[in-house]
Amino acid sequence: MRYPLVAALLAFSSAFPAIADVLTIKKDAPKQYVVKKGDTLWDISGVYLDEPWQWPDLWQMNPQIANPHLIYPGDALTLIYDKDGNPRLVKNPRYKKLSPEGRITPKGKQAVPTLPLELLRPYLSYEQAISADVIAQKPYILGASVNTKMNTMGHTLYVKGDLTLNEAYGVYRKGNDLVDPNTNEVLANKAELVAIVRAFRSGDVENGVPASVKVELVKQEIKPHDFLMPAMEGQMMPAYFTMKRPEAVLDGTIIAAANEMREFSTMDIVVLNLGSDQVKPGFVLDIQRQSPEVYDGRNGPRYREDSNSLEKFMTDANDVLGIESDEDSNVWHMPKEKVGELMVFKVYDNVSYALIVKNQHPIRVGDYAVIN
């Protein structure tokens, strides 16, 4: 049985410390599980545990596998209990399925991954978060060898900038501002890859000579002022993520989503107003949402949006004056509640990209990413 959402996270869990001392195995967990093609460690973890972060403890007593990353399709995993009653997952070397369809084939190089890279690759490769100041310093498209404002495959493009001969460059388009909702500061700009080009004339900006490039791959039509970066810049990613809860308290906000939708769910990508000095790839944070305020007046408790003008004014006045709710207050400020979890996978100076790995309700821009 497949757990698509679970697929993403196993990548990280192998080094994640247990949150609780006692592992709780799901009531419907199988005694034996045969690894299938396409499984990840996070898939398998989700079969046995409600909290997949505890995966390392489940593998703790496994003399056959020093590295739990190295299991393969066809391996049989057996659930056992040690002398202290702790559940452990081990490989069953005696397992052989003698059906024509399920015969175990010799193991190749394709060990079960912890992270489904194909799901994250578009966001690791096709979108960047770059400051406007940095973008302003990049080489950019001036025009083409034909009089067109939108260029595509086969076109020769001219670039304002000194390029390295024969090097491949990504052509990016400056996108929306990524704004911190607390300070209204622009933290970075989205930058979306639109094409790959290769330089065949290096150019000489100082003497007014443009560089020349040939278009090799197109995602979107290329426009004047799209800017260039070396093709591999910002493309590198770890093979495995060390998934862990940060030790320090963190208080961030979801400020955008890669899909530009109003609501998003498990396996969607979001942008946080947390940068490299606060988070690292593999950090797992809780997603929290502010519960609505309640005005408790003569007509009984009502949500703020259902209140009349006077009640809303009193709520706003309490906010401005910093009055906390107490038993005599008319305005009740409710706590934040957990609605999901996410994992940071790509970090910039002022923002980071994260994968939603669990959610009880649709996630929205404005929800909080926290460690309390």
Side-chain angles (χ1 to χ4, degrees), residues 17-50:
I19 296 174
D21 294 329
V22 179
L23 291 179
T24 301
I25 299 297
K26 289 182 175 179
K27 292 181 180 179
D28 59 350
K31 297 296 183 184
Q32 182 167 276
Y33 182 86
V34 179
V35 181
K36 301 184 294 295
K37 184 177 180 180
D39 276 345
T40 67
L41 295 181
W42 190 259
D43 285 322
I44 302 165
S45 176
V47 172
Y48 288 92
L49 300 173
D50 286 321

PDB file of all heavy atoms in Angstrom, residues 17-50:
ATOM      1  N   PRO A  17      16.269  12.583  15.524  1.00  0.00           N
ATOM      2  CA  PRO A  17      16.189  12.045  16.867  1.00  0.00           C
ATOM      3  C   PRO A  17      14.752  11.777  17.266  1.00  0.00           C
ATOM      4  O   PRO A  17      13.842  12.472  16.863  1.00  0.00           O
ATOM      5  CB  PRO A  17      16.774  13.183  17.731  1.00  0.00           C
ATOM      6  CG  PRO A  17      16.593  14.401  16.926  1.00  0.00           C
ATOM      7  CD  PRO A  17      16.675  13.987  15.489  1.00  0.00           C
ATOM      8  N   ALA A  18      14.546  10.761  18.079  1.00  0.00           N
ATOM      9  CA  ALA A  18      13.204  10.409  18.509  1.00  0.00           C
ATOM     10  C   ALA A  18      12.639  11.504  19.379  1.00  0.00           C
ATOM     11  O   ALA A  18      13.309  12.073  20.219  1.00  0.00           O
ATOM     12  CB  ALA A  18      13.239   9.095  19.287  1.00  0.00           C
ATOM     13  N   ILE A  19      11.376  11.764  19.187  1.00  0.00           N
ATOM     14  CA  ILE A  19      10.711  12.795  19.968  1.00  0.00           C
ATOM     15  C   ILE A  19      10.240  12.230  21.299  1.00  0.00           C
ATOM     16  O   ILE A  19      10.216  12.904  22.297  1.00  0.00           O
ATOM     17  CB  ILE A  19       9.527  13.375  19.168  1.00  0.00           C
ATOM     18  CG1 ILE A  19      10.044  14.057  17.919  1.00  0.00           C
ATOM     19  CG2 ILE A  19       8.727  14.355  19.999  1.00  0.00           C
ATOM     20  CD1 ILE A  19       8.960  14.523  16.995  1.00  0.00           C
ATOM     21  N   ALA A  20       9.850  10.969  21.306  1.00  0.00           N
ATOM     22  CA  ALA A  20       9.410  10.342  22.536  1.00  0.00           C
ATOM     23  C   ALA A  20      10.308   9.150  22.821  1.00  0.00           C
ATOM     24  O   ALA A  20      10.971   8.611  21.953  1.00  0.00           O
ATOM     25  CB  ALA A  20       7.956   9.900  22.389  1.00  0.00           C
ATOM     26  N   ASP A  21      10.326   8.708  24.089  1.00  0.00           N
ATOM     27  CA  ASP A  21      11.175   7.591  24.467  1.00  0.00           C
ATOM     28  C   ASP A  21      10.603   6.258  24.015  1.00  0.00           C
ATOM     29  O   ASP A  21      11.326   5.291  23.824  1.00  0.00           O
ATOM     30  CB  ASP A  21      11.355   7.584  25.993  1.00  0.00           C
ATOM     31  CG  ASP A  21      12.142   8.797  26.475  1.00  0.00           C
ATOM     32  OD1 ASP A  21      13.001   9.270  25.702  1.00  0.00           O
ATOM     33  OD2 ASP A  21      11.895   9.253  27.591  1.00  0.00           O
ATOM     34  N   VAL A  22       9.285   6.186  23.880  1.00  0.00           N
ATOM     35  CA  VAL A  22       8.634   4.932  23.552  1.00  0.00           C
ATOM     36  C   VAL A  22       8.055   5.012  22.155  1.00  0.00           C
ATOM     37  O   VAL A  22       7.330   5.945  21.821  1.00  0.00           O
ATOM     38  CB  VAL A  22       7.507   4.618  24.569  1.00  0.00           C
ATOM     39  CG1 VAL A  22       6.821   3.317  24.199  1.00  0.00           C
ATOM     40  CG2 VAL A  22       8.075   4.558  25.983  1.00  0.00           C
ATOM     41  N   LEU A  23       8.384   4.014  21.331  1.00  0.00           N
ATOM     42  CA  LEU A  23       7.819   3.952  19.989  1.00  0.00           C
ATOM     43  C   LEU A  23       6.421   3.359  20.058  1.00  0.00           C
ATOM     44  O   LEU A  23       6.194   2.368  20.743  1.00  0.00           O
ATOM     45  CB  LEU A  23       8.686   3.076  19.083  1.00  0.00           C
ATOM     46  CG  LEU A  23      10.065   3.612  18.701  1.00  0.00           C
ATOM     47  CD1 LEU A  23      10.766   2.591  17.826  1.00  0.00           C
ATOM     48  CD2 LEU A  23       9.952   4.924  17.977  1.00  0.00           C
ATOM     49  N   THR A  24       5.506   3.968  19.344  1.00  0.00           N
ATOM     50  CA  THR A  24       4.149   3.441  19.257  1.00  0.00           C
ATOM     51  C   THR A  24       3.916   2.951  17.845  1.00  0.00           C
ATOM     52  O   THR A  24       3.928   3.729  16.894  1.00  0.00           O
ATOM     53  CB  THR A  24       3.109   4.528  19.607  1.00  0.00           C
ATOM     54  OG1 THR A  24       3.375   4.999  20.934  1.00  0.00           O
ATOM     55  CG2 THR A  24       1.703   3.959  19.535  1.00  0.00           C
ATOM     56  N   ILE A  25       3.709   1.643  17.715  1.00  0.00           N
ATOM     57  CA  ILE A  25       3.474   1.042  16.413  1.00  0.00           C
ATOM     58  C   ILE A  25       1.979   1.099  16.101  1.00  0.00           C
ATOM     59  O   ILE A  25       1.133   0.886  16.972  1.00  0.00           O
ATOM     60  CB  ILE A  25       3.956  -0.428  16.405  1.00  0.00           C
ATOM     61  CG1 ILE A  25       5.460  -0.487  16.680  1.00  0.00           C
ATOM     62  CG2 ILE A  25       3.637  -1.098  15.072  1.00  0.00           C
ATOM     63  CD1 ILE A  25       6.324   0.172  15.645  1.00  0.00           C
ATOM     64  N   LYS A  26       1.647   1.429  14.859  1.00  0.00           N
ATOM     65  CA  LYS A  26       0.250   1.459  14.449  1.00  0.00           C
ATOM     66  C   LYS A  26      -0.402   0.103  14.672  1.00  0.00           C
ATOM     67  O   LYS A  26       0.224  -0.952  14.495  1.00  0.00           O
ATOM     68  CB  LYS A  26       0.149   1.835  12.970  1.00  0.00           C
ATOM     69  CG  LYS A  26       0.483   3.279  12.657  1.00  0.00           C
ATOM     70  CD  LYS A  26       0.303   3.545  11.166  1.00  0.00           C
ATOM     71  CE  LYS A  26       0.521   5.008  10.835  1.00  0.00           C
ATOM     72  NZ  LYS A  26       0.358   5.257   9.379  1.00  0.00           N
ATOM     73  N   LYS A  27      -1.676   0.125  15.036  1.00  0.00           N
ATOM     74  CA  LYS A  27      -2.394  -1.120  15.313  1.00  0.00           C
ATOM     75  C   LYS A  27      -2.490  -2.010  14.081  1.00  0.00           C
ATOM     76  O   LYS A  27      -2.531  -3.233  14.194  1.00  0.00           O
ATOM     77  CB  LYS A  27      -3.794  -0.801  15.853  1.00  0.00           C
ATOM     78  CG  LYS A  27      -3.782  -0.155  17.229  1.00  0.00           C
ATOM     79  CD  LYS A  27      -5.193   0.124  17.720  1.00  0.00           C
ATOM     80  CE  LYS A  27      -5.161   0.765  19.099  1.00  0.00           C
ATOM     81  NZ  LYS A  27      -6.535   1.065  19.601  1.00  0.00           N
ATOM     82  N   ASP A  28      -2.560  -1.397  12.906  1.00  0.00           N
ATOM     83  CA  ASP A  28      -2.702  -2.188  11.682  1.00  0.00           C
ATOM     84  C   ASP A  28      -1.370  -2.417  10.977  1.00  0.00           C
ATOM     85  O   ASP A  28      -1.330  -2.826   9.821  1.00  0.00           O
ATOM     86  CB  ASP A  28      -3.685  -1.521  10.722  1.00  0.00           C
ATOM     87  CG  ASP A  28      -3.248  -0.108  10.320  1.00  0.00           C
ATOM     88  OD1 ASP A  28      -2.290   0.417  10.937  1.00  0.00           O
ATOM     89  OD2 ASP A  28      -3.858   0.463   9.393  1.00  0.00           O
ATOM     90  N   ALA A  29      -0.243  -2.161  11.677  1.00  0.00           N
ATOM     91  CA  ALA A  29       1.067  -2.347  11.052  1.00  0.00           C
ATOM     92  C   ALA A  29       1.302  -3.824  10.756  1.00  0.00           C
ATOM     93  O   ALA A  29       1.025  -4.687  11.595  1.00  0.00           O
ATOM     94  CB  ALA A  29       2.159  -1.816  11.967  1.00  0.00           C
ATOM     95  N   PRO A  30       1.823  -4.141   9.570  1.00  0.00           N
ATOM     96  CA  PRO A  30       2.053  -5.550   9.219  1.00  0.00           C
ATOM     97  C   PRO A  30       3.270  -6.107   9.950  1.00  0.00           C
ATOM     98  O   PRO A  30       4.187  -5.379  10.309  1.00  0.00           O
ATOM     99  CB  PRO A  30       2.297  -5.494   7.711  1.00  0.00           C
ATOM    100  CG  PRO A  30       2.878  -4.134   7.491  1.00  0.00           C
ATOM    101  CD  PRO A  30       2.173  -3.233   8.480  1.00  0.00           C
ATOM    102  N   LYS A  31       3.260  -7.437  10.164  1.00  0.00           N
ATOM    103  CA  LYS A  31       4.430  -8.093  10.760  1.00  0.00           C
ATOM    104  C   LYS A  31       5.598  -8.106   9.786  1.00  0.00           C
ATOM    105  O   LYS A  31       6.756  -8.105  10.187  1.00  0.00           O
ATOM    106  CB  LYS A  31       4.077  -9.526  11.161  1.00  0.00           C
ATOM    107  CG  LYS A  31       2.996  -9.626  12.230  1.00  0.00           C
ATOM    108  CD  LYS A  31       3.462  -9.016  13.537  1.00  0.00           C
ATOM    109  CE  LYS A  31       2.406  -9.191  14.629  1.00  0.00           C
ATOM    110  NZ  LYS A  31       2.810  -8.524  15.891  1.00  0.00           N
ATOM    111  N   GLN A  32       5.283  -8.125   8.491  1.00  0.00           N
ATOM    112  CA  GLN A  32       6.328  -8.145   7.474  1.00  0.00           C
ATOM    113  C   GLN A  32       5.936  -7.218   6.335  1.00  0.00           C
ATOM    114  O   GLN A  32       4.763  -7.129   5.979  1.00  0.00           O
ATOM    115  CB  GLN A  32       6.550  -9.559   6.945  1.00  0.00           C
ATOM    116  CG  GLN A  32       7.660  -9.652   5.902  1.00  0.00           C
ATOM    117  CD  GLN A  32       8.067 -11.086   5.630  1.00  0.00           C
ATOM    118  OE1 GLN A  32       8.886 -11.648   6.363  1.00  0.00           O
ATOM    119  NE2 GLN A  32       7.501 -11.684   4.606  1.00  0.00           N
ATOM    120  N   TYR A  33       6.928  -6.531   5.789  1.00  0.00           N
ATOM    121  CA  TYR A  33       6.689  -5.618   4.676  1.00  0.00           C
ATOM    122  C   TYR A  33       7.751  -5.861   3.615  1.00  0.00           C
ATOM    123  O   TYR A  33       8.957  -5.887   3.920  1.00  0.00           O
ATOM    124  CB  TYR A  33       6.761  -4.151   5.134  1.00  0.00           C
ATOM    125  CG  TYR A  33       6.475  -3.164   4.032  1.00  0.00           C
ATOM    126  CD1 TYR A  33       5.169  -2.786   3.736  1.00  0.00           C
ATOM    127  CD2 TYR A  33       7.520  -2.622   3.281  1.00  0.00           C
ATOM    128  CE1 TYR A  33       4.900  -1.884   2.717  1.00  0.00           C
ATOM    129  CE2 TYR A  33       7.256  -1.716   2.256  1.00  0.00           C
ATOM    130  CZ  TYR A  33       5.946  -1.357   1.977  1.00  0.00           C
ATOM    131  OH  TYR A  33       5.685  -0.478   0.954  1.00  0.00           O
ATOM    132  N   VAL A  34       7.316  -6.053   2.373  1.00  0.00           N
ATOM    133  CA  VAL A  34       8.248  -6.258   1.272  1.00  0.00           C
ATOM    134  C   VAL A  34       8.415  -4.937   0.522  1.00  0.00           C
ATOM    135  O   VAL A  34       7.441  -4.334   0.058  1.00  0.00           O
ATOM    136  CB  VAL A  34       7.741  -7.353   0.311  1.00  0.00           C
ATOM    137  CG1 VAL A  34       8.726  -7.526  -0.854  1.00  0.00           C
ATOM    138  CG2 VAL A  34       7.567  -8.669   1.056  1.00  0.00           C
ATOM    139  N   VAL A  35       9.656  -4.484   0.436  1.00  0.00           N
ATOM    140  CA  VAL A  35       9.957  -3.200  -0.184  1.00  0.00           C
ATOM    141  C   VAL A  35       9.635  -3.262  -1.673  1.00  0.00           C
ATOM    142  O   VAL A  35      10.033  -4.197  -2.377  1.00  0.00           O
ATOM    143  CB  VAL A  35      11.433  -2.835   0.021  1.00  0.00           C
ATOM    144  CG1 VAL A  35      11.742  -1.477  -0.617  1.00  0.00           C
ATOM    145  CG2 VAL A  35      11.776  -2.805   1.503  1.00  0.00           C
ATOM    146  N   LYS A  36       8.896  -2.249  -2.146  1.00  0.00           N
ATOM    147  CA  LYS A  36       8.503  -2.185  -3.552  1.00  0.00           C
ATOM    148  C   LYS A  36       9.277  -1.081  -4.265  1.00  0.00           C
ATOM    149  O   LYS A  36       9.756  -0.130  -3.634  1.00  0.00           O
ATOM    150  CB  LYS A  36       6.993  -1.902  -3.668  1.00  0.00           C
ATOM    151  CG  LYS A  36       6.123  -2.928  -2.989  1.00  0.00           C
ATOM    152  CD  LYS A  36       4.649  -2.644  -3.231  1.00  0.00           C
ATOM    153  CE  LYS A  36       4.192  -1.347  -2.579  1.00  0.00           C
ATOM    154  NZ  LYS A  36       4.257  -1.399  -1.118  1.00  0.00           N
ATOM    155  N   LYS A  37       9.374  -1.216  -5.571  1.00  0.00           N
ATOM    156  CA  LYS A  37       9.994  -0.169  -6.370  1.00  0.00           C
ATOM    157  C   LYS A  37       9.218   1.130  -6.185  1.00  0.00           C
ATOM    158  O   LYS A  37       7.986   1.154  -6.272  1.00  0.00           O
ATOM    159  CB  LYS A  37      10.008  -0.563  -7.848  1.00  0.00           C
ATOM    160  CG  LYS A  37      10.727   0.454  -8.731  1.00  0.00           C
ATOM    161  CD  LYS A  37      10.768  -0.013 -10.180  1.00  0.00           C
ATOM    162  CE  LYS A  37      11.492   1.009 -11.047  1.00  0.00           C
ATOM    163  NZ  LYS A  37      11.542   0.588 -12.467  1.00  0.00           N
ATOM    164  N   GLY A  38       9.904   2.208  -5.929  1.00  0.00           N
ATOM    165  CA  GLY A  38       9.247   3.491  -5.712  1.00  0.00           C
ATOM    166  C   GLY A  38       9.071   3.830  -4.245  1.00  0.00           C
ATOM    167  O   GLY A  38       8.770   4.968  -3.895  1.00  0.00           O
ATOM    168  N   ASP A  39       9.245   2.838  -3.340  1.00  0.00           N
ATOM    169  CA  ASP A  39       9.164   3.125  -1.908  1.00  0.00           C
ATOM    170  C   ASP A  39      10.323   4.016  -1.487  1.00  0.00           C
ATOM    171  O   ASP A  39      11.403   4.001  -2.092  1.00  0.00           O
ATOM    172  CB  ASP A  39       9.247   1.834  -1.095  1.00  0.00           C
ATOM    173  CG  ASP A  39       7.904   1.131  -0.954  1.00  0.00           C
ATOM    174  OD1 ASP A  39       6.878   1.770  -1.242  1.00  0.00           O
ATOM    175  OD2 ASP A  39       7.889  -0.048  -0.562  1.00  0.00           O
ATOM    176  N   THR A  40      10.083   4.777  -0.433  1.00  0.00           N
ATOM    177  CA  THR A  40      11.177   5.486   0.229  1.00  0.00           C
ATOM    178  C   THR A  40      11.154   5.078   1.692  1.00  0.00           C
ATOM    179  O   THR A  40      10.196   4.468   2.174  1.00  0.00           O
ATOM    180  CB  THR A  40      11.010   7.011   0.142  1.00  0.00           C
ATOM    181  OG1 THR A  40       9.869   7.393   0.903  1.00  0.00           O
ATOM    182  CG2 THR A  40      10.869   7.472  -1.292  1.00  0.00           C
ATOM    183  N   LEU A  41      12.205   5.418   2.410  1.00  0.00           N
ATOM    184  CA  LEU A  41      12.226   5.108   3.837  1.00  0.00           C
ATOM    185  C   LEU A  41      11.063   5.766   4.555  1.00  0.00           C
ATOM    186  O   LEU A  41      10.536   5.238   5.522  1.00  0.00           O
ATOM    187  CB  LEU A  41      13.558   5.556   4.447  1.00  0.00           C
ATOM    188  CG  LEU A  41      14.811   4.840   3.951  1.00  0.00           C
ATOM    189  CD1 LEU A  41      16.034   5.363   4.664  1.00  0.00           C
ATOM    190  CD2 LEU A  41      14.695   3.351   4.113  1.00  0.00           C
ATOM    191  N   TRP A  42      10.690   6.940   4.069  1.00  0.00           N
ATOM    192  CA  TRP A  42       9.562   7.626   4.717  1.00  0.00           C
ATOM    193  C   TRP A  42       8.252   6.886   4.456  1.00  0.00           C
ATOM    194  O   TRP A  42       7.389   6.816   5.313  1.00  0.00           O
ATOM    195  CB  TRP A  42       9.478   9.056   4.217  1.00  0.00           C
ATOM    196  CG  TRP A  42       8.503   9.860   5.002  1.00  0.00           C
ATOM    197  CD1 TRP A  42       7.235  10.193   4.674  1.00  0.00           C
ATOM    198  CD2 TRP A  42       8.737  10.412   6.288  1.00  0.00           C
ATOM    199  NE1 TRP A  42       6.659  10.921   5.666  1.00  0.00           N
ATOM    200  CE2 TRP A  42       7.554  11.079   6.666  1.00  0.00           C
ATOM    201  CE3 TRP A  42       9.828  10.416   7.150  1.00  0.00           C
ATOM    202  CZ2 TRP A  42       7.437  11.733   7.887  1.00  0.00           C
ATOM    203  CZ3 TRP A  42       9.706  11.078   8.356  1.00  0.00           C
ATOM    204  CH2 TRP A  42       8.522  11.721   8.707  1.00  0.00           C
ATOM    205  N   ASP A  43       8.104   6.285   3.273  1.00  0.00           N
ATOM    206  CA  ASP A  43       6.941   5.444   2.991  1.00  0.00           C
ATOM    207  C   ASP A  43       6.828   4.341   4.031  1.00  0.00           C
ATOM    208  O   ASP A  43       5.786   4.125   4.635  1.00  0.00           O
ATOM    209  CB  ASP A  43       7.076   4.758   1.622  1.00  0.00           C
ATOM    210  CG  ASP A  43       6.843   5.696   0.455  1.00  0.00           C
ATOM    211  OD1 ASP A  43       5.968   6.554   0.550  1.00  0.00           O
ATOM    212  OD2 ASP A  43       7.546   5.545  -0.552  1.00  0.00           O
ATOM    213  N   ILE A  44       7.928   3.638   4.198  1.00  0.00           N
ATOM    214  CA  ILE A  44       7.919   2.470   5.085  1.00  0.00           C
ATOM    215  C   ILE A  44       7.713   2.911   6.526  1.00  0.00           C
ATOM    216  O   ILE A  44       6.995   2.273   7.302  1.00  0.00           O
ATOM    217  CB  ILE A  44       9.235   1.690   4.924  1.00  0.00           C
ATOM    218  CG1 ILE A  44       9.399   1.264   3.454  1.00  0.00           C
ATOM    219  CG2 ILE A  44       9.258   0.467   5.827  1.00  0.00           C
ATOM    220  CD1 ILE A  44      10.795   0.803   3.099  1.00  0.00           C
ATOM    221  N   SER A  45       8.334   4.007   6.894  1.00  0.00           N
ATOM    222  CA  SER A  45       8.150   4.546   8.232  1.00  0.00           C
ATOM    223  C   SER A  45       6.682   4.838   8.505  1.00  0.00           C
ATOM    224  O   SER A  45       6.169   4.563   9.585  1.00  0.00           O
ATOM    225  CB  SER A  45       8.976   5.824   8.387  1.00  0.00           C
ATOM    226  OG  SER A  45       8.763   6.412   9.635  1.00  0.00           O
ATOM    227  N   GLY A  46       5.989   5.387   7.516  1.00  0.00           N
ATOM    228  CA  GLY A  46       4.577   5.712   7.689  1.00  0.00           C
ATOM    229  C   GLY A  46       3.697   4.495   7.823  1.00  0.00           C
ATOM    230  O   GLY A  46       2.587   4.583   8.349  1.00  0.00           O
ATOM    231  N   VAL A  47       4.156   3.347   7.343  1.00  0.00           N
ATOM    232  CA  VAL A  47       3.393   2.110   7.506  1.00  0.00           C
ATOM    233  C   VAL A  47       3.371   1.688   8.970  1.00  0.00           C
ATOM    234  O   VAL A  47       2.377   1.156   9.468  1.00  0.00           O
ATOM    235  CB  VAL A  47       4.004   0.987   6.632  1.00  0.00           C
ATOM    236  CG1 VAL A  47       3.348  -0.356   6.932  1.00  0.00           C
ATOM    237  CG2 VAL A  47       3.837   1.333   5.156  1.00  0.00           C
ATOM    238  N   TYR A  48       4.463   1.957   9.693  1.00  0.00           N
ATOM    239  CA  TYR A  48       4.613   1.451  11.055  1.00  0.00           C
ATOM    240  C   TYR A  48       4.395   2.504  12.144  1.00  0.00           C
ATOM    241  O   TYR A  48       3.984   2.172  13.249  1.00  0.00           O
ATOM    242  CB  TYR A  48       6.005   0.834  11.228  1.00  0.00           C
ATOM    243  CG  TYR A  48       6.155  -0.485  10.508  1.00  0.00           C
ATOM    244  CD1 TYR A  48       6.638  -0.534   9.196  1.00  0.00           C
ATOM    245  CD2 TYR A  48       5.785  -1.675  11.121  1.00  0.00           C
ATOM    246  CE1 TYR A  48       6.758  -1.743   8.527  1.00  0.00           C
ATOM    247  CE2 TYR A  48       5.897  -2.883  10.453  1.00  0.00           C
ATOM    248  CZ  TYR A  48       6.375  -2.918   9.162  1.00  0.00           C
ATOM    249  OH  TYR A  48       6.472  -4.103   8.498  1.00  0.00           O
ATOM    250  N   LEU A  49       4.708   3.761  11.850  1.00  0.00           N
ATOM    251  CA  LEU A  49       4.729   4.783  12.898  1.00  0.00           C
ATOM    252  C   LEU A  49       3.806   5.946  12.568  1.00  0.00           C
ATOM    253  O   LEU A  49       3.707   6.366  11.421  1.00  0.00           O
ATOM    254  CB  LEU A  49       6.154   5.334  13.070  1.00  0.00           C
ATOM    255  CG  LEU A  49       7.252   4.349  13.458  1.00  0.00           C
ATOM    256  CD1 LEU A  49       8.603   5.049  13.419  1.00  0.00           C
ATOM    257  CD2 LEU A  49       6.988   3.764  14.834  1.00  0.00           C
ATOM    258  N   ASP A  50       3.147   6.484  13.612  1.00  0.00           N
ATOM    259  CA  ASP A  50       2.402   7.732  13.441  1.00  0.00           C
ATOM    260  C   ASP A  50       3.354   8.917  13.379  1.00  0.00           C
ATOM    261  O   ASP A  50       3.047   9.939  12.770  1.00  0.00           O
ATOM    262  CB  ASP A  50       1.421   7.927  14.601  1.00  0.00           C
ATOM    263  CG  ASP A  50       0.218   6.999  14.492  1.00  0.00           C
ATOM    264  OD1 ASP A  50      -0.266   6.806  13.361  1.00  0.00           O
ATOM    265  OD2 ASP A  50      -0.207   6.461  15.521  1.00  0.00           O
TER     266      ASP A  50
END
